[in-house]
Amino acid sequence: LIGGETQMHLLECAHDLKMTDGTYVFVPYDALLYSLPYKHTPYQVLRNNPKLREAYDAVLTITVESQEKTFYQAFTEAAVRGEIPEKLEFDQ
């Protein structure tokens, strides 16, 4: 997942609090800043965690067209163009 363990814990807690039943929608704001592939992108962590997979259904990812690039390619190109910082601290 883009947000790593922090996003995983947030979604698992939201699931435990019954906040992933369709009442709320979670939007990863960082995905608004650069293109993100949406086709044929496997998330191994979702395969191994049924609770997280169910919670992830409540995530609405809005992003610009990725033109069939992988996440790594799109992220790297955006960083090179200065659209996003190349390195961020964990709390950023």
Side-chain angles (χ1 to χ4, degrees):
L1 298 177
I2 298 166
E5 286 198 30
T6 303
Q7 182 181 3
M8 181 178 76
H9 292 303
L10 171 79
L11 290 174
E12 288 177 334
C13 288
H15 182 273
D16 292 342
L17 294 169
K18 312 268 188 266
M19 295 174 69
T20 59
D21 63 357
T23 305
Y24 298 94
V25 174
F26 299 87
V27 179
Y29 68 89
D30 52 348
L32 299 171
L33 303 175
Y34 50 86
S35 61
L36 220 152
Y38 55 91
K39 295 179 183 177
H40 311 296
T41 304
Y43 294 104
Q44 188 66 29
V45 68
L46 295 177
R47 180 176 294 148
N48 298 328
N49 188 331
K51 181 167 83 169
L52 181 59
R53 185 172 52 245
E54 186 177 323
Y56 195 70
D57 284 343
V59 175
L60 174 64
T61 302
I62 303 170
T63 185
V64 296
E65 178 62 44
S66 65
Q67 303 165 350
E68 301 297 324
K69 296 175 185 169
T70 66
F71 170 75
Y72 179 75
Q73 289 169 325
F75 183 86
T76 302
E77 288 176 14
V80 167
R81 289 190 302 268
E83 296 172 3
I84 57 172
E86 288 187 49
K87 297 191 186 256
L88 292 174
E89 294 299 319
F90 178 73
D91 60 347
Q92 294 177 302

